[in-house]
């Protein structure tokens, strides 16, 4: 059957049956008459649809709503804001039906003109304009098949202009404003199963898309002639039982299913169930249970890998549904457990707050310690969690019986201990681990200025984020959730850990298109404002945003993030010339203070290019300094503190931190970027990072010392002059030494210059950093690395260091 004919049949199926006799559509006049959960987001002028069993709300008036990444959406007229069965009260708000229009890959903003009842349905009219005078009109209709627990959605886009529109993509967006969901869709293997399911604490939502699948090189409709119309159709379903909602979707998709009964045995704790098709990884079922219990769900015939997370045990088996009754009865057995009491101490027997990671030795998988329930939070969660953080004297954990590699650490300044243990059934094992501070960092403070929590797209709450940061030896953590000013201090004090860590409230200002991400800190927390004081990103012109940030928080630091990471790259978005930084596209703006040279622990292609960009900008005389950050969204496999920035700082630490002095030191470049090595440099006996040194007769003597924990490798030390790396200096270190390199290097310079020092190690930081290379290539692995901010050289005695290149970046 041709795609067009199949789509027509599906549209007819979606659009009927329609209006039950008891169904009522009315305009909301007084929100006070609504139940409390609905009053949180329903406004006067919205259209409420109910039959007593189901209730839906379509936005009929403008107001600002926020995405999980804290983008504000003021134009929500005509969207389905909620669809829930009777009795549902938790996290009702959603955003279904948003027109998604792109021309040549560029998103266009649709403006809603009207939202009105039309017969037995609701119709929203909107329009948008595009390049070349393109004018597009959109008509979206909602029909309420509540006897089937469904809203049938049809939408059409019409070319209302005089010219042909090319490279056009059109559809409707679906957002349940939560992260926990699954979809079995696979363009080749399961093209008919284009649906997504969101499970909530007391109901389920599902979005079914029967339309032909578009690709990046073949958008749909592609070409739209003047007056021509392109139509799409969808189904939005709800219910209290996930198996029932799934069965209804499969019927809409025309897919035959079998009911699988899954026995989880006896386990007094939460369990996550994940059912995948092995060849494609497509997810056919997922749920998170507060307590283990037998469950049933529908699935088509086929082979599946079922995984049960009996936290922290991971159990999986492969099953085949082949029509036989026994193939529909699955069982995942709970393994036996043993107990461990973990203590981390130094050589004097004093408690050390650190990290203990467990790596399963085959055939035992690594444990998966319980994350926060994502159905309850609605946010991201840790899908890999094999570490614990003993913050007090002793921590007791349960582990499945088996053999494990245990790694104990507290970041790169400490020794580490690794050992192999066997956990036995029912036994209680005492695990005493010893680590020591090995590297002298007096006069330095370690800073991670880019990390996330569930206040935006992070996978952890604030308490777990703070424990992980302390366990990695970070001394200052900057909150940087997207478009939201997070303050860690109340949680830090509640945990009683403010002696170990200082925190600074901040925000990652994030443009909608991904063209610019930058951090600001310190920021004032303003609870009554959107994003608790975050600046609006409706106008994403870089200079405008930089100015807004400085006006809102005078003295704040502007910190450009991942400038070359694809899709998030400020420099590529505005076409900064990667070879010499000679040109950029308007409205590129260089009025920021610092930029990330290292985002994450790997000197990968994006970070290497960022470093080269920085060299070029220094050569052109821009006073931009570098920082290293983790951009941590998770913990294990996305550890905070890798990379980090070591800042020259002699003030009080912990709760007494002088945040103003720290920020000024970062702005001045009195720091270096590192994933572990600690670098000290003195030029002519006095000058260091951020300083100006006078070179008599062009001579500069550099005293360079590199230290690191005994286990850390340092293979290469280079001096960088005006962006050119000199020949590596000889590194002669005995195994286990803390001092990796110490030497004096004499440079003779014929003109003003700048100098930096780069350090590279060749041994992976695994298992302390569990972000593996993935392909075995060193450039993608977490390796020891450090790069200092510049020391400026005045070679001609005029009291300044002139730029290497006279020309600035030409913005055109």
């Amino acid at each position: 059957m041709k795609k067009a004919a199949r789509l027509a049949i599906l549209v007819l199926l979606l659009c009927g049956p329609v209006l039950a006799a008891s169904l009522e559509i009315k305009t909301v006049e007084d929100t006070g008459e609504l139940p409390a959960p609905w009053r949180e987001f329903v406004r006067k002028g919205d259209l409420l649809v109910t039959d007593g069993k189901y209730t839906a709300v379509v936005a009929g008036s403008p107001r600002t709503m926020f995405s999980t990444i804290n983008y504000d959406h003021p134009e929500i007229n005509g969207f389905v804001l909620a669809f829930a069965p009777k009795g549902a009260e938790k996290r009702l708000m959603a955003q279904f039906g948003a027109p998604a229009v792109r021309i040549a890959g560029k998103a266009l903003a649709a403006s809603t003109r009207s939202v009105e009842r039309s017969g037995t349905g609701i119709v929203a009219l909107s329009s948008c304009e595009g390049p070349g005078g393109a004018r597009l009109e959109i008509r979206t209709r909602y029909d309420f098949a509540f006897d089937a627990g469904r809203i049938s959605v049809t939408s059409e886009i019409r070319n209302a202009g005089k010219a042909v529109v090319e490279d056009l993509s059109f559809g409707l967006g679906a957002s349940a404003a939560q992260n926990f969901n699954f979809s079995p869709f696979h363009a080749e293997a399961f093209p008919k199963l284009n649906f997504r399911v969101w499970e909530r604490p007391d109901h389920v939502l599902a979005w079914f898309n029967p339309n032909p699948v578009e690709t990046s090189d073949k958008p749909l409709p592609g070409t739209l002639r003047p007056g021509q119309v392109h139509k799409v159709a969808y189904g939005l379903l709800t219910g209290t039982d996930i198996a029932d909602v799934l069965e209804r979707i499969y019927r809409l998709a025309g897919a035959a299913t079998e009911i699988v009964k899954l026995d989880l045995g006896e386990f007094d704790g939460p369990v996550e169930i994940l059912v995948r098709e092995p060849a494609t990884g497509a997810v056919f079922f997922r749920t998170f249970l507060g307590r283990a219990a037998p469950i049933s769900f529908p699935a088509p015939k086929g082979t599946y890998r079922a995984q049960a997370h009996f936290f922290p045990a991971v159990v999986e088996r492969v099953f085949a549904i082949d029509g036989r009754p026994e193939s529909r009865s699955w069982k995942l057995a709970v393994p036996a457990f043993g107990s461990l009491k973990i203590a981390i101490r130094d050589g004097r027997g004093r408690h050390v707050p650190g990290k203990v990671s467990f790596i399963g030795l085959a055939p035992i998988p690594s444990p998966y310690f319980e994350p926060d329930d994502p159905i309850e939070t609605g946010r991201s969660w840790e899908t890999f969690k094999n570490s614990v953080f003993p913050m007090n004297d002793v921590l007791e954990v349960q582990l499945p019986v088996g053999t494990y590699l245990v790694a104990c650490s507290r970041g790169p300044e400490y020794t580490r201990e690794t050992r192999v243990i066997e956990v036995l059934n029912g036994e209680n094992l005492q695990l005493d681990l010893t680590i020591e501070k090995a590297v002298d960092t007096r006069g330095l403070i370690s800073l991670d200025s880019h990390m996330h929590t569930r206040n935006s797209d992070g996978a952890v709450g604030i308490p777990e984020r703070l424990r992980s940061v302390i366990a990695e030896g970070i001394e200052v953590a900057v909150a940087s959730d997207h478009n939201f000013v997070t303050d860690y201090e109340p949680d830090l004090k509640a945990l009683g850990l403010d002696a170990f860590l200082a925190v600074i409230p901040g925000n990652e200002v994030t443009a909608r298109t991904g063209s610019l991400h930058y951090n600001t800190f310190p920021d004032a927390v303003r609870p009554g404002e959107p994003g608790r004081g975050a600046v609006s990103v409706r106008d994403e012109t870089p200079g405008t945003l930089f100015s807004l940030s400085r006006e809102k928080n005078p003295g704040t630091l502007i910190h450009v993030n991942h400038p070359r990471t694809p899709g998030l790259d400020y420099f590529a978005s505005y076409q900064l010339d990667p070879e010499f930084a000679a040109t950029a596209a308007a409205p590129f703006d260089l009025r920021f203070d610092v930029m990330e040279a290292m985002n994450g622990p790997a000197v990968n292609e994006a970070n290497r290019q960022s470093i080269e960009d920085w060299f070029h900008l220094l050569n052109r005389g821009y006073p931009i300094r570098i920082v290293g950050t983790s951009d941590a969204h998770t913990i294990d496999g996305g550890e905070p503190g890798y990379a980090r920035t070591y800042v020259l700082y002699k003030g009080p630490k912990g709760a007494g931190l002088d945040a103003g002095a720290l920020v000024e030191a970062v702005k001045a470049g009195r720091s270096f970027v590192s994933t572990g090595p600690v670098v000290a440099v003195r030029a002519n006996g006095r000058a260091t990072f951020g300083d100006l040194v006078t070179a008599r007769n062009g001579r500069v003597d550099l005293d360079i010392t590199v230290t690191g924990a005994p286990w850390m490798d340092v293979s290469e030390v280079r001096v960088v002059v005006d962006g050119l790396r000199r020949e590596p200096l000889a590194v002669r270190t005995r195994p286990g030494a803390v001092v990796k390199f110490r030497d004096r290097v004499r440079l003779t310079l014929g003109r003003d210059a700048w100098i930096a020092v780069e350090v590279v190690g060749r041994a992976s930081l695994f298992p302390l950093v569990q972000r593996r290379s993935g392909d075995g290539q060193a450039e993608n692995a977490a390796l020891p690395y450090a790069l200092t901010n510049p020391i400026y050289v005045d070679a001609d005695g005029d009291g300044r260091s002139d730029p290497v290149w006279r020309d600035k970046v030409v913005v055109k």
Side-chain angles (χ1 to χ4, degrees):
M1 184 183 294
K2 292 184 178 180
K3 286 185 178 179
R6 187 167 65 240
L7 177 60
I9 293 171
L10 286 167
V11 169
L12 289 172
L13 180 61
L14 284 169
C15 291
V18 183
L19 194 68
S22 60
L23 190 141
E24 179 185 12
I25 302 176
K26 66 178 182 179
T27 302
V28 175
E29 297 294 340
D30 182 4
T31 59
E33 297 177 353
L34 300 174
W38 296 83
R39 292 199 298 269
E40 294 178 8
F41 58 92
V42 178
R43 297 291 180 269
K44 182 179 179 179
D46 290 347
L47 297 172
L48 186 142
V49 187
T50 185
D51 69 348
K53 295 181 179 179
Y54 297 94
T55 301
V57 173
V58 176
S61 59
R63 90 291 308 260
T64 298
M65 300 185 78
F66 291 89
S67 69
T68 53
I69 204 170
N70 301 313
Y71 288 136
D72 54 334
H73 294 284
E75 191 70 65
I76 62 165
N77 306 30
F79 299 3
V80 176
L81 297 187
F83 182 34
K86 181 180 179 180
E89 296 182 343
K90 296 184 178 180
R91 290 207 325 274
L92 297 169
M93 192 185 75
Q95 295 178 35
F96 290 93
V101 186
R102 290 181 178 270
I103 295 180
K106 183 176 181 180
L108 306 182
S111 178
T112 304
R113 300 202 309 269
S114 66
V115 183
E116 298 177 351
R117 178 172 178 171
S118 175
T120 59
I122 292 174
V123 172
L125 301 179
S126 56
S127 61
C128 57
E129 297 181 355
R135 290 180 53 243
L136 298 161
E137 295 182 347
I138 302 162
R139 183 180 189 272
T140 301
R141 180 180 177 90
Y142 303 104
D143 286 300
F144 304 97
F146 279 7
D147 53 349
R150 187 177 75 238
I151 299 175
S152 298
V153 189
T154 54
S155 188
E156 59 184 44
I157 186 167
R158 185 176 74 88
N159 184 348
K162 297 181 179 179
V164 175
V165 177
E166 302 282 0
D167 203 12
L168 174 65
S169 170
F170 173 66
L172 297 183
S175 171
Q178 74 173 55
N179 296 86
F180 190 84
N181 64 78
F182 67 89
S183 172
F185 173 73
H186 188 276
E188 288 78 33
F190 311 111
K192 293 197 302 179
L193 304 184
N194 193 358
F195 64 82
R196 189 166 297 277
V197 177
W198 294 266
E199 188 175 5
R200 294 184 159 180
D202 56 12
H203 65 291
V204 179
L205 285 167
W207 181 254
F208 175 52
N209 178 359
N211 304 289
V213 178
E214 67 174 6
T215 59
S216 58
D217 59 335
K218 291 184 179 180
L220 295 175
T223 300
L224 202 64
R225 297 185 298 276
Q228 189 177 4
V229 171
H230 174 71
K231 297 181 180 181
V232 291
Y234 303 87
L236 176 60
L237 296 85
T238 193
T240 57
D241 181 69
I242 189 170
D244 171 67
V245 173
L246 268 175
E247 186 61 39
R248 286 188 274 139
I249 296 175
Y250 282 122
R251 285 201 299 268
L252 286 176
T257 61
E258 304 274 358
I259 298 297
V260 174
K261 294 181 180 180
L262 177 58
D263 181 1
L264 298 172
E266 295 184 6
F267 181 70
D268 188 17
V271 181
E272 182 187 24
I273 305 301
L274 184 59
V275 178
R276 294 187 181 96
E277 195 279 328
T280 62
V283 181
F284 278 75
F285 184 72
R286 187 170 209 160
T287 191
F288 201 104
L289 306 173
R291 185 175 180 178
I295 59 172
S296 298
F297 60 91
K301 289 182 180 179
T303 301
Y304 298 93
R305 176 176 286 112
Q307 192 172 68
H309 299 140
F310 300 101
F311 304 109
V314 178
V315 178
E316 67 175 39
R317 281 186 59 191
V318 174
F319 297 94
I321 303 175
D322 56 16
R324 295 176 302 152
E326 58 268 29
S327 74
R328 300 191 295 272
S329 181
W330 300 358
K331 184 171 184 177
L332 292 172
V334 183
F337 286 86
S339 178
L340 281 80
K341 290 184 177 179
I342 306 167
I344 309 175
R345 298 186 175 92
D346 63 15
R348 298 180 182 180
R350 298 173 300 188
H351 169 69
V352 178
K355 175 177 71 173
V356 181
S357 302
F358 297 90
I359 300 170
L361 300 180
I364 302 300
S366 295
Y368 179 13
F369 291 106
E370 182 185 348
D372 291 333
D373 185 340
I375 295 178
E376 291 293 331
T377 68
R379 295 288 189 156
S380 296
W381 72 104
E382 296 172 272
T383 57
F384 173 64
K385 185 178 174 70
N386 68 331
S387 297
V388 294
F389 309 107
M391 292 289 113
N392 299 307
D393 194 38
V394 176
L395 177 69
E396 185 168 354
V397 301
Q398 299 288 317
L399 280 181
V401 297
T403 309
Y404 300 89
L405 172 67
V406 180
C408 176
S409 63
R410 197 185 177 218
E413 299 166 26
Y414 280 71
T415 61
R416 67 183 183 186
E417 182 175 357
T418 59
R419 68 171 72 168
V420 174
I421 64 168
E422 184 177 12
V423 176
L424 301 176
N425 185 10
E427 293 298 314
N428 193 325
L429 177 66
Q430 183 72 35
L431 191 58
D432 293 314
L433 302 162
T434 303
I435 57 176
E436 301 266 15
K437 180 75 180 289
V439 182
D440 185 356
T441 55
R442 285 175 294 182
L444 295 171
I445 194 166
S446 56
L447 163 72
D448 190 344
S449 51
H450 189 177
M451 61 184 69
H452 297 272
T453 70
R454 285 199 302 267
N455 282 347
S456 61
D457 58 344
V460 296
I462 293 174
E464 190 74 349
R465 171 57 68 218
L466 294 173
R467 283 188 282 263
S468 71
V469 166
I470 291 168
E472 298 294 359
I474 288 293
E475 295 169 295
V476 183
V478 176
S480 54
D481 286 310
H482 295 279
N483 300 326
F484 189 93
V485 180
T486 294
D487 184 7
Y488 293 156
E489 188 169 3
D491 290 272
L492 183 65
K493 288 182 176 179
L495 292 169
L497 298 174
D498 51 342
F500 299 105
L501 181 69
V503 293
I504 300 175
N507 158 43
E508 182 171 11
V509 181
T510 309
R512 294 174 185 275
T513 61
S515 61
L516 173 62
H517 291 213
Y518 69 91
N519 290 349
T520 61
F521 65 90
D523 285 358
V525 180
R526 299 174 172 91
E529 296 185 10
R532 288 166 51 95
V535 300
S536 171
V537 294
R538 292 183 190 176
D539 182 345
E540 59 183 66
T541 305
T544 300
L545 287 174
F546 295 159
S547 296
L548 284 173
S549 293
R550 289 186 169 112
E551 289 167 8
K552 189 135 196 172
N553 294 286
T556 195
L557 179 143
I558 305 294
H559 170 308
V560 166
N561 298 340
H562 39 68
R564 288 291 183 179
T565 298
L568 310 170
D569 40 1
Y570 177 44
F571 289 178
S573 294
Y574 291 97
Q575 301 169 33
L576 179 67
D577 163 29
E579 293 191 18
F580 301 103
T583 61
F588 185 69
D589 196 301
L590 281 158
R591 288 174 293 178
F592 52 88
D593 300 304
V594 302
M595 59 175 276
E596 289 179 345
M598 286 287 289
N599 178 277
V603 190
N604 52 28
E605 183 177 351
N607 285 336
R608 283 201 312 273
Q609 183 58 56
S610 295
I611 291 167
E612 293 300 319
D613 290 327
W614 179 62
F615 289 171
H616 301 152
L617 294 173
L618 285 182
N619 283 345
R620 295 192 182 281
Y622 291 97
I624 295 167
R625 304 297 179 249
I626 53 170
V627 291
T629 74
S630 65
D631 195 1
H633 286 69
T634 58
I635 293 177
D636 292 316
E639 291 82 358
Y642 301 93
R644 65 188 68 194
T645 307
Y646 281 101
V647 186
L648 295 170
Y649 171 84
K650 295 183 178 179
K653 297 184 179 182
L657 178 80
D658 185 341
L662 176 71
V663 168
E664 289 307 311
V666 173
K667 287 182 178 180
R670 300 184 64 77
S671 59
F672 60 92
V673 171
S674 179
T675 61
V678 174
V679 187
V681 181
R682 283 284 182 268
N684 289 350
R686 297 180 61 186
T688 188
F689 323 123
D691 289 342
L692 175 70
V693 62
T694 300
R696 290 186 172 86
N697 301 317
R699 190 177 71 191
V700 178
D701 287 332
L702 295 180
D703 291 301
I704 305 171
T705 302
V706 180
T707 56
W711 51 266
M712 181 172 292
D713 174 64
V714 169
S715 304
E716 195 173 286
V717 177
R718 290 179 185 262
V719 175
V720 182
V721 180
D722 296 340
L724 298 176
R725 294 173 172 86
R726 298 284 179 102
E727 288 295 316
L729 304 170
V731 177
R732 301 182 183 89
T733 305
R734 60 180 176 81
V738 171
V739 177
K740 310 295 183 181
F741 177 89
R742 179 176 285 155
D743 204 352
R744 171 170 289 184
V745 179
R746 173 162 291 178
L747 302 176
T748 302
L749 304 171
R751 55 174 171 76
D752 292 356
W754 61 266
I755 300 167
V757 173
E758 185 177 51
V759 177
V760 178
R762 296 195 181 98
S764 168
L765 297 175
F766 185 85
L768 273 68
V769 178
Q770 296 187 71
R771 195 180 310 185
R772 308 189 195 191
S773 68
D775 59 4
Q777 299 302 310
E779 65 180 17
N780 294 321
L783 300 177
Y785 180 81
L787 178 63
T788 72
N789 268 295
I791 299 172
Y792 285 98
V793 179
D794 172 19
D796 55 17
D798 63 358
R800 66 176 187 267
S801 181
D802 293 322
V804 179
W805 302 333
R806 293 185 177 182
D807 295 333
K808 298 295 186 182
V809 177
V810 176
V811 179
K812 54 186 179 180

